[in-house]
Amino acid sequence: MMISRFFAFSLFLISASLQAQSFNIMATVHPLAMVAASLVAPDQIEVLIPTGMSPHDFALRPSDIERLQEADVILWNGPNAEPFLQGFAQRWPDKIWLSAAPSDAPANADDHWWFNPHVMLDLQHQLALVLEREERSFEVALQAQLQTSQEALAAVRHHGFFVFHRAYDHWVEVMQLNQVGAFTLSPEQKPGLRTLHRMRQQLQQGEVQCVFSEPQFSPALIDSVTRGLNIRRGELDPMAAHIPLSANAYVEFIADLTERFVACLTPETP
Ligand SMILES: [Zn+2]
C-alpha cells in the first residue's frame, strides 16, 4: 500500500516536471514577455499584441483566439487594462492566468504595470513558481539596476517634464520624479485646446524642462506646443519595442529608461 502510493506520487512528480518543460507561454504585451524571458527561452514565448499596435484599442481577431487557446500560461495586465481577455479567463480556468495587476489596485490606477519594477519582480516570482524554477539572478540584477537608477536620477528628480500619454505613473512614483502632466490619457484621444493652453503656460513659466514624445505618434502636437521655447525633447517607447527578448531584457529596459530620463532632465552646461 505504502509502496504503490509512493510510486504514484513519483509518477505525478515526473509528469509535472515534464509538463513544466513544454509550457507554452503567452504574454499580452512585449514588456511582460521581457519578464517571462528571464525564465524561458524567447522562442517559447508568444506575444499577443504586436509591438507596433496600441494595446488601448486592441480587439482580438480569430487567429489571436487560436493562439490563446494553445497557451498554457498567460501573462496579462488584468481585466481593467485588458478587458478583451476577461471572458476567456473565466471560460478557460484550466489555463494559468498570471495577472500583473496587484489585487488591491484601485480601478483608476495607471495600468501600464510593467513600469513598476517591484510589480514585475512579483510577476516573475509567480511565473517561477508555476514553472518550478528556482531563479535568483533576475532579482539580483534588477535590484542592482534599481540602485543604479536611483543614484543616476537623484540630481534631476525635481526637474519637471511632460509625457505624451499617461503610461509612466508607476515609474514616476518608484523613482520619485516630477511629472508635471501628460498630453493625453490614452494615445487615441487628442488633448483638448484647454489642456494644450495650460501646458503651453506651464512651459512658458519654466516649470518643465523636458517633453517626451512616443515613436508611434506624430510629434507635430508637441512641436506646436513647444514652438519658440527652449525645451529639451526626449522619446519614450512605452512598449519597449527596441529591446529584443533575452534573459536580461527587462533589466536592460530599466537601464535604457533611466538613461532617457537622465539625458532629457539634465540641463545643458553653458
Ligand atoms: Zn498606454
Side-chain angles (χ1 to χ4, degrees):
M1 181 69 183
M2 284 294 285
I3 290 168
S4 70
R5 199 178 278 179
F6 175 74
F7 184 63
F9 183 63
S10 308
L11 268 183
F12 167 74
L13 281 183
I14 291 165
S15 72
S17 73
L18 276 177
Q19 233 179 329
Q21 285 166 6
S22 59
F23 269 146
N24 292 321
I25 295 172
M26 172 164 273
T28 51
V29 290
H30 178 69
L32 298 188
M34 295 197 296
V35 173
S38 69
L39 290 161
V40 293
D43 61 10
Q44 271 181 267
I45 307 167
E46 292 270 328
V47 179
L48 182 65
I49 305 172
T51 45
M53 211 178 259
S54 169
H56 290 275
D57 58 354
F58 184 75
L60 287 170
R61 298 160 301 183
S63 60
D64 295 324
I65 296 167
E66 278 169 32
R67 287 165 71 216
L68 265 173
Q69 218 154 3
E70 279 163 29
D72 305 299
V73 183
I74 296 150
L75 279 74
W76 64 316
N77 288 292
N80 200 45
E82 292 161 347
F84 50 83
L85 286 186
Q86 191 170 13
F88 291 99
Q90 285 157 357
R91 196 191 303 172
W92 295 330
D94 52 319
K95 296 188 188 299
I96 297 165
W97 295 81
L98 299 181
S99 170
S103 51
D104 58 349
N108 67 340
D110 177 347
D111 42 33
H112 299 71
W113 293 108
W114 58 93
F115 281 101
N116 186 328
H118 306 297
V119 168
M120 288 301 104
L121 188 55
D122 193 59
L123 182 69
Q124 202 259 2
H125 284 162
Q126 287 185 56
L127 181 60
L129 269 176
V130 167
L131 301 176
E132 297 170 12
R133 289 277 307 276
E134 187 81 44
E135 169 47 53
R136 287 265 304 141
S137 59
F138 176 77
E139 179 168 0
V140 170
L142 183 57
Q143 298 289 13
Q145 178 54 50
L146 290 177
Q147 183 66 33
T148 304
S149 299
Q150 290 284 4
E151 285 161 16
L153 289 162
V156 294
R157 63 168 40 115
H158 58 284
H159 295 178
F161 61 90
F162 282 150
V163 293
F164 187 75
H165 91 285
R166 190 187 168 204
Y168 311 94
D169 285 12
H170 297 297
W171 175 249
V172 167
E173 196 186 321
V174 168
M175 291 294 154
Q176 298 166 273
L177 302 173
N178 182 17
Q179 178 174 288
V180 180
F183 284 86
T184 171
L185 282 179
S186 153
E188 289 69 37
Q189 294 170 356
K190 289 238 183 317
L193 281 178
R194 190 180 287 181
T195 303
L196 290 175
H197 180 69
R198 192 188 64 237
M199 291 177 96
R200 173 83 185 168
Q201 278 181 327
Q202 287 172 307
L203 289 166
Q204 284 167 330
Q205 286 159 1
E207 289 175 44
V208 173
Q209 273 125 73
C210 156
V211 175
F212 288 107
S213 57
E214 291 182 11
Q216 292 91 333
F217 302 98
S218 158
L221 184 77
I222 296 174
D223 289 342
S224 70
V225 173
T226 58
R227 187 163 296 138
L229 300 172
N230 186 23
I231 305 288
R232 274 187 305 285
R233 297 277 293 271
E235 189 181 76
L236 298 172
D237 178 5
M239 303 304 283
H242 60 297
I243 298 181
L245 286 189
S246 74
N248 203 38
Y250 185 75
V251 178
E252 279 172 37
F253 164 63
I254 294 299
D256 178 71
L257 195 59
T258 303
E259 277 171 34
R260 285 167 190 267
F261 273 86
V262 169
C264 204
L265 295 176
T266 305
E268 278 140 54
T269 44

